[in-house]
Amino acid sequence: MTDSPAPSPYGRHRTDVQDPEALRERALAALLTARERTGLLTDSVDDHELTAQHSPLMSPLVWDLAHIGNQEELWLLRGVAGREAMRPEIDGLYDAFEHPRATRPSLPLLAPAEARSYAAEVRGRALDVLESTPLGDRPLVRSGFVFGMIAQHEQQHDETMLITHQLRSGPAVLTAPEPPRATGAALPTEVLVPGGPFTMGTSTEPWALDNERPAHRREVPGFFVDTAPVTCGAYRAFIEDGGYDERRWWTGEGWAMVREHGLSAPLFWHRDAGQWLRRRFGVTEPVPADEPVLHVSWYEADAYARWAGRRLPTEAEWEKAARHDPGSGRSRRYPWGDEDPTPEHANLGQRHLRPAPAGAYAAGRAPSGAGQLIGDVWEWTSSDFLPYPGFAPFPYREYSEVFFGPEHKVLRGGSFAVDAVACRGTFRNWDLPVRRQIFSGFRTARDA
Ligand SMILES: [Fe+2]
């Protein structure tokens, strides 16, 4: 599962890709974990809140729930097992390309009880398909790919549903323990990643999506990168220095966005009697200075970096800082090695409902010395979302190919809201540069 022919010393907790039974178990566990999270996110509000639209940017939660079931039916029951459609009349309602989010509440959607029983019935049948399908032959099921894809899809909607929870008004309904604090000596603010080639992307990770493939060599000149994402305290200094009032830090589009929407701080922040407060899942609290900043658009991240005399890292720089091991010359699956993430490595899976303070997760650091690359906050990069050399769409064009182009910027590393199954050193996310409701932050870089 690594991109180097050298045997890996990090194999202890890896899934053996040669062993279909291990992959079947891994798929089963990923599907069950995802459904448990879906249950928490949809059972924590009443039917009225499930069917309401909390923001025109988002679907009603009940749409996500039935869409999760519908995609699972399409791919696992009809696709893998060749079954008849269970409810052909609903396919159009849950086709994300057919209906933009803002219009979804006006559709004749399945009511909450129906959506729950549909998703549960699909799941019951899908687990039978998982148990009875040989995982070795067709590309779609080889290494359990399509089962992993559907678990990732559900987890991605669980992240989307958590964004809906963040956008809803009313009292808090979700709780989680606090993330770990930073321990040990203070980190340097930046580390040097020496110039030279490294292996970007993957050809061997069994559930990697088409846009992460294939592995290829990239030459990356030397650069310095922040050891942790930019904190709220550092971002506050940008605000207080008049960052949102000075044209010179902003691109033309970024400045237009600031003016049009009157932006003066990250989304969900406001100032009260000289103190910065934020709203987080129904609770108003002081903005913590040492926590990575969240809910900033690409334009804000880019403007901050320019104000700081720095820049956003390119996507290749981010991945090299996260995966390249100069000792062996190979790229790791994760910054810490090839083992799947544990709670000691990274803040993932909605285990905590906020990023950990900068400097936490010492066990998750990369050979470069940079930390918190996986989990905590999605990190904006300077790069447009483009295919790697040798890209081939799989299993369908609409997964990635239709989104390639300069209108989307790449985010890396996953946030606290992302499950481990949908987060790898090679995982690529993309969004519009105006987007702020996502769990997005950033780190900065400079040429060496
Ligand atoms: Fe979807």
Side-chain angles (χ1 to χ4, degrees):
M1 285 213 289
T2 63
D3 295 304
S4 149
S8 163
Y10 305 105
R12 283 177 300 134
H13 305 290
R14 291 193 306 164
T15 302
D16 183 351
V17 291
Q18 306 304 321
D19 178 0
E21 288 320 305
L23 284 162
R24 201 188 303 277
E25 265 174 49
R26 186 183 177 202
L28 176 64
L31 288 167
L32 297 178
T33 301
R35 189 52 52 92
E36 192 183 334
R37 176 55 48 181
T38 303
L40 268 168
L41 291 163
T42 52
D43 294 344
S44 54
V45 291
D46 62 20
D47 281 6
H48 171 74
E49 290 219 47
L50 268 182
T51 49
Q53 188 166 42
H54 298 281
S55 157
L57 298 168
M58 309 305 288
S59 313
L61 292 165
V62 77
W63 185 91
D64 288 282
L65 176 58
H67 166 81
I68 286 167
N70 189 241
Q71 286 290 306
E72 187 163 321
E73 191 204 338
L74 280 169
W75 286 96
L76 303 188
L77 304 189
R78 297 189 233 173
V80 174
R83 306 266 174 89
E84 292 291 310
M86 288 164 62
R87 305 196 54 168
E89 76 284 2
I90 67 169
D91 285 351
L93 298 174
Y94 297 105
D95 182 339
F97 288 92
E98 213 167 290
H99 303 285
R101 285 177 175 174
T103 67
R104 290 176 192 166
S106 59
L107 301 172
L109 301 177
L110 298 186
E114 272 184 298
R116 284 195 177 96
S117 67
Y118 169 65
E121 204 178 328
V122 171
R123 172 53 57 89
R125 298 181 190 190
L127 295 184
D128 291 341
V129 172
L130 173 62
E131 207 179 290
S132 59
T133 303
L135 299 184
D137 46 5
R138 289 177 288 164
L140 197 58
V141 294
R142 190 175 298 146
S143 303
F145 172 82
V146 74
F147 299 97
M149 183 185 87
I150 285 299
Q152 292 183 64
H153 177 257
E154 180 160 352
Q155 286 288 3
Q156 282 157 1
H157 278 275
D158 290 347
E159 183 182 12
T160 303
M161 289 196 281
L162 194 66
I163 295 170
T164 305
H165 272 268
Q166 170 64 9
L167 287 161
R168 68 177 269 282
S169 49
V173 294
L174 299 173
T175 55
E178 293 296 306
R181 311 292 305 171
T183 52
L187 293 177
T189 56
E190 63 178 3
V191 289
L192 171 67
V193 180
F198 89 109
T199 302
M200 186 171 187
T202 178
S203 299
T204 51
E205 182 75 33
W207 298 351
L209 302 165
D210 59 0
N211 63 62
E212 298 167 66
R213 300 170 184 271
H216 58 285
R217 296 295 273 176
R218 269 297 164 105
E219 186 65 40
V220 180
F223 63 100
F224 287 92
V225 67
D226 292 341
T227 47
V230 170
T231 63
C232 294
Y235 197 84
R236 210 167 54 204
F238 167 64
I239 299 173
E240 283 160 8
D241 194 41
Y244 282 86
D245 306 317
E246 281 201 55
R247 169 71 185 85
R248 64 180 162 146
W249 308 129
W250 300 81
T251 61
E253 294 92 341
W255 186 242
M257 180 191 181
V258 167
R259 305 299 288 180
E260 185 186 343
H261 300 286
L263 303 188
S264 57
L267 189 59
F268 307 115
W269 284 31
H270 69 278
R271 204 202 291 261
D272 186 41
Q275 190 187 20
W276 281 107
L277 302 174
R278 69 172 178 190
R279 192 166 52 76
R280 182 175 64 86
F281 301 113
V283 174
T284 298
E285 60 191 14
V287 168
D290 59 354
E291 192 177 296
V293 69
L294 261 184
H295 300 299
V296 287
S297 63
W298 184 90
Y299 292 127
E300 289 163 290
D302 175 68
Y304 171 94
R306 204 164 297 130
W307 167 81
R310 300 172 67 84
R311 58 177 175 77
L312 294 179
T314 66
E315 184 183 14
E317 286 173 337
W318 189 96
E319 188 168 323
K320 188 175 181 187
R323 297 183 64 214
H324 180 61
D325 177 358
S328 66
R330 49 181 289 282
S331 287
R332 299 169 163 194
R333 293 178 68 214
Y334 294 97
W336 54 85
D338 291 342
E339 310 101 289
D340 289 335
T342 68
E344 282 70 48
H345 289 129
N347 182 4
L348 291 168
Q350 304 184 14
R351 202 166 44 240
H352 312 291
L353 290 174
R354 62 196 298 172
Y361 293 104
R365 285 180 202 144
S368 66
Q372 291 172 287
L373 288 146
I374 297 290
D376 291 305
V377 297
W378 282 108
E379 298 182 24
W380 288 111
T381 70
S382 65
S383 300
D384 297 337
F385 184 48
L386 295 172
Y388 290 159
F391 168 83
F394 180 79
Y396 61 121
R397 278 195 69 239
E398 285 73 19
Y399 190 82
S400 310
E401 194 175 16
V402 299
F403 299 101
F404 287 140
E407 63 276 21
H408 291 113
K409 296 293 184 189
V410 172
L411 299 112
R412 285 304 203 96
S415 72
F416 65 88
V418 174
D419 186 80
V421 77
C423 189
R424 297 169 281 281
T426 55
F427 192 92
R428 309 173 75 195
N429 187 8
W430 66 91
D431 217 322
L432 299 171
V434 296
R435 203 63 91 199
R436 315 173 81 208
Q437 79 272 22
I438 57 176
F439 300 112
S440 52
F442 62 101
R443 74 181 70 214
T444 68
R446 66 183 172 98
D447 297 348

